[in-house]
Amino acid sequence: MDAPEPGTDDSSVIESFWQVARMRAKLNPTGYYTGERPLASLRPPAWAFGATPEQADQLLALVLAGIKTATSGALWDYEAEGEQLPTPGALGIVTDGRAVPHALVVTTQVEIVPFDEVSAEHAYLEGEGDGSLATWREVHERFFTEHAVHGHGFSRDMPVVLQRFAVLYSQTFAGLGDL
């Protein structure tokens, strides 16, 4: 499947991806006998990592390579946007910077900790830079400062939502080599 042409309906591209992904991920293996399960019938939300198209592409490339299996966000941003926190078992469709879907993921673990208590293990699972906690802190302090949607500013004890996920299905598209 090629990337959508400019001006096409992104929701139809995401719906097409979902139809393939839910079958390939075997979300409803006994559906013929037991009927449709909600997990397999309701299209999950589609979203991209990062705050810019470039970040979305870079982070998606890490996910598709199997390097990035965790992410984090400021709890204050979730609250400011009225967004629900991720929950274990929740599905998501990860898109690139052009809103083209590439991966179906499931949240496996969620934890909220102060920024200064994020573990070296979590930093490594995010897969960015050299994978160290020092790099994670530097990158995320900058990110949480530059892209905050809340009015609290950055704080070393700010609550951070840590999320681990697993890729259930991924698909590459023409042009993905640019990631």
Side-chain angles (χ1 to χ4, degrees), residues 72 113-120 122-123 126 133 136-137 160 162:
S72 55
V113 301
F115 181 88
D116 273 350
E117 293 181 26
V118 171
S119 69
H122 184 84
E126 286 213 26
L133 181 56
W136 184 92
R137 285 184 174 155
V160 178
L162 306 180

Side-chain angles (χ1 to χ4, degrees), residues 13 32 34 45 52 56 62 69 75 82 88 90 117 125-127 136 144 176:
V13 173
Y32 182 75
T34 62
T52 67
L62 294 173
T69 59
L75 176 62
E117 293 181 26
L125 293 174
E126 286 213 26
W136 184 92
F144 292 154
L176 185 58

Side-chain angles (χ1 to χ4, degrees), residues 25-103:
K26 297 182 170 100
L27 294 179
N28 197 26
T30 61
Y32 182 75
Y33 301 104
T34 62
E36 194 75 15
R37 292 188 322 193
L39 186 63
S41 63
L42 300 174
R43 185 177 84 194
W47 44 269
F49 288 105
T52 67
E54 295 78 20
Q55 288 175 348
D57 289 349
Q58 292 167 353
L59 297 172
L60 173 63
L62 294 173
V63 169
L64 296 176
I67 297 168
K68 182 174 184 61
T69 59
T71 192
S72 55
L75 176 62
W76 295 334
D77 284 342
Y78 281 94
E79 293 170 346
E81 293 180 323
E83 187 177 334
Q84 287 188 324
L85 294 178
T87 57
L91 299 174
I93 296 173
V94 182
T95 67
D96 64 18
R98 298 170 296 151
V100 176
H102 290 273

